[in-house]
Amino acid sequence: MNGVYRATVASNIAFLKYWGKRDARLQWPANDSFSMTLSRLCSTTEARPIQASDHRFVFAGQAFSRAEKRFAKTFQQLDDLTQTFGFRDQLEIRTENNFPMGAGIASSASGLAALTLASLAAWLKAPDWQSLAAKGFSLSRIANLARQGSGSAGRSLFGGYVAWRAGDHPEQQTIEPLFPAEHWDLHDTIVLFSKGEKSLSSTEAHAHAWSSPLFRTRLAGLPERLAAMENAMTHCNFEQLGPLLEMEALEMHAVTMTATPSHCYLTSDAWNFLASLREARRRGEVHAYFTIDAGPNIHLIHEASEHEQLKRWLEERFNPQELLHDRVGQGPQLSFLSE
Ligand code: DP6
C-alpha cells in the first residue's frame, strides 16, 4: 500500500537506570532496567518508500545527510534493519520531537523507537498493528529491534511501566510491560536546566561506567533495589518508591562522576535545586521525588493528586517555559495515510 506510515512514540523516564553495557555491539545491558513511558513528550516519525539511491532524512523540516554526526544512530538503524531483513526500498523519513533534543529527556528513546516502528511498517507495507503481527512483527519483536538502535528505545514501545531484563545471554533479553498506565497515575514534571545538547552522550558514558570503582558495587545491589521498586509499584506505595528513585539517580551520577574520564551532567543550578526540593519536602510544601537521566534536567515524579501544589511551587521559581508537565502514557500509535 503506497502512502505514509506514521508512528508516534513517547519518551520514557527510567526509574531503575540502564547504565553500562555488557556487550556494546549486541546492545546487552549490564543490568535490568525499569521505566515509565510518558504521554506527551513524543517523537512523530513518518516513513514513505521512495525511488532513490539512499534514504532521505528530514528532522524538524530540515534535510540531513548520513554525514551528520547527531543522526548517526538513525542511519545505522535503517542500515541494520535493511541488512537483517533484506528490505529493498529506500525510505523518506520525516521526524520531529515536541521537546528539545539531547537535553536529557531521552530523545533517542522516543526517536529510535518511532523510527523503527514507522520504517518497519513502511517496508512491510503494514498499516496497523494487526498486519505487523501477521507478518511476524509482534510488539515485543519491534521493541527488541528498537533496543538495538538505542537501548532505552525498546522500553518506549510499551505504555505504562516497562521492564527490560538483561537475561543470562544477550539473546535472552526481554522487554515487557509490568503494569499498565491505569495501575498508577504517576506524573513527571521536568525542570529544564539546559535545552542544549548533552555534554557527554549516553553511549560514551555507558562505556566509561566500568572504570568507576563504584560500578561493580552498584551492579551487586541492583536486584534488591529492583525488587523493592516492583514491590512499591505493586502496592502504589509512593513513600517506598520515592527514596528508591533518588538513590538510584544519585548512584548513576556518582558512577559517572567517579569514572575515568570523570563527568558531571548536573549544573550548579541543578544541584542547588535538589537541595531546595529536599528542604521543601521536609517542610511539607511539596511531595515529589527526583530522578535524573544523562543530562542536567530534573524529573520530579509525583502522584496526580500532588500535581497542582507542585506546579504552584515550581512556578514561583521558574518560568513556565522551563517546565514540562507529563504523566504515564498508553504507548505508541501507528497510523497510515494513503496517498
Ligand atoms: C540514562 O539508551 O541513550 O537514559 O543504548 O547507547 O543509545 P544507547 O544509550 P541510551 O541510554 C539511556 C541511559 C539513561 C537511562 C535509561 O534510560 O535507562
Side-chain angles (χ1 to χ4, degrees):
M1 277 206 281
N2 282 338
V4 174
Y5 297 79
R6 179 191 288 158
T8 299
V9 182
S11 182
N12 69 77
I13 176 68
F15 287 2
L16 199 99
K17 311 293 181 184
Y18 148 50
W19 204 236
K21 307 185 190 196
R22 260 187 275 185
D23 186 319
R25 197 179 53 83
L26 299 173
Q27 280 287 80
W28 189 25
N31 60 276
D32 295 356
S33 58
F34 176 67
S35 59
M36 171 169 101
T37 297
L38 297 175
S39 145
R40 293 199 193 109
L41 301 179
C42 290
S43 297
T44 297
T45 298
E46 294 182 349
R48 183 171 74 89
I50 50 167
Q51 302 288 334
S53 57
D54 195 3
H55 304 298
R56 197 179 299 148
F57 178 68
V58 180
F59 176 75
Q62 201 186 334
F64 290 94
S65 76
R66 284 184 172 271
E68 182 72 27
K69 204 171 153 241
R70 68 187 171 128
F71 294 111
K73 282 186 184 179
T74 301
F75 281 96
Q76 188 64 51
Q77 179 73 342
L78 291 171
D79 292 348
D80 287 350
L81 291 170
T82 300
Q83 205 185 356
T84 307
F85 299 106
F87 296 130
R88 297 244 169 80
D89 288 331
Q90 306 299 324
L91 300 179
E92 179 182 81
I93 303 286
R94 306 185 79 87
T95 190
E96 48 193 51
N97 297 334
N98 60 1
F99 57 90
M101 189 180 169
I105 41 177
S107 64
S108 77
S110 56
L112 266 290
L115 174 79
T116 305
L117 178 56
S119 56
L120 283 172
W123 273 315
L124 297 162
K125 306 220 182 308
D128 53 36
W129 299 111
Q130 274 170 326
S131 42
L132 273 174
K135 291 174 193 238
F137 287 79
S138 64
L139 205 45
S140 303
R141 189 174 186 201
I142 298 170
N144 198 44
L145 292 167
R147 184 266 294 163
Q148 286 162 13
S150 179
S152 51
R155 298 186 312 239
S156 268
L157 260 311
F158 295 97
Y161 300 90
V162 184
W164 172 16
R165 313 240 186 233
D168 292 330
H169 301 286
E171 316 80 61
Q172 280 180 357
Q173 298 182 59
T174 56
I175 302 171
E176 57 188 9
L178 286 194
F179 305 95
E182 294 72 32
H183 174 72
W184 199 1
D185 186 13
L186 288 178
H187 285 226
D188 178 10
T189 299
I190 306 167
V191 186
L192 295 175
F193 285 95
S194 159
K195 290 188 201 150
E197 293 283 316
K198 63 176 102 167
S199 43
L200 175 72
S201 78
S202 34
T203 305
E204 282 173 275
H206 283 296
H208 299 161
W210 292 96
S211 66
S212 162
L214 306 181
F215 191 57
R216 282 178 170 77
T217 314
R218 163 175 167 73
L219 292 182
L222 281 180
E224 200 179 318
R225 188 174 299 151
L226 181 56
M229 250 186 214
E230 287 184 13
N231 185 56
M233 290 296 308
T234 302
H235 302 288
C236 299
N237 183 340
F238 193 67
E239 293 313 317
Q240 188 188 5
L241 179 68
L244 292 167
L245 290 176
E246 296 196 349
M247 199 189 306
E248 169 63 7
L250 291 173
E251 191 176 89
M252 179 199 118
H253 285 264
V255 164
T256 310
M257 286 189 282
T258 51
T260 306
S262 157
H263 186 77
C264 182
Y265 282 110
L266 292 183
T267 60
S268 51
D269 285 350
W271 285 119
N272 289 337
F273 172 73
L274 294 186
S276 62
L277 175 78
R278 281 200 199 94
E279 183 54 26
R281 201 164 57 213
R282 201 186 54 75
R283 289 199 301 263
E285 290 170 18
V286 293
H287 204 56
Y289 288 86
F290 67 81
T291 185
I292 318 160
D293 270 352
N297 302 317
I298 309 292
H299 294 247
L300 296 171
I301 307 298
H302 52 286
E303 295 190 283
S305 54
E306 298 294 327
H307 184 66
E308 280 311 311
Q309 195 179 341
L310 176 68
K311 188 164 174 266
R312 273 196 300 277
W313 185 81
L314 288 170
E315 283 175 353
E316 285 166 16
R317 289 158 181 82
F318 298 94
N319 296 321
Q321 65 271 23
E322 294 169 309
L323 302 171
L324 298 173
H325 302 277
D326 211 339
R327 70 203 300 175
V328 63
Q330 298 291 342
Q333 286 168 11
L334 176 64
S335 57
F336 174 70
L337 302 100
S338 61
E339 284 184 325

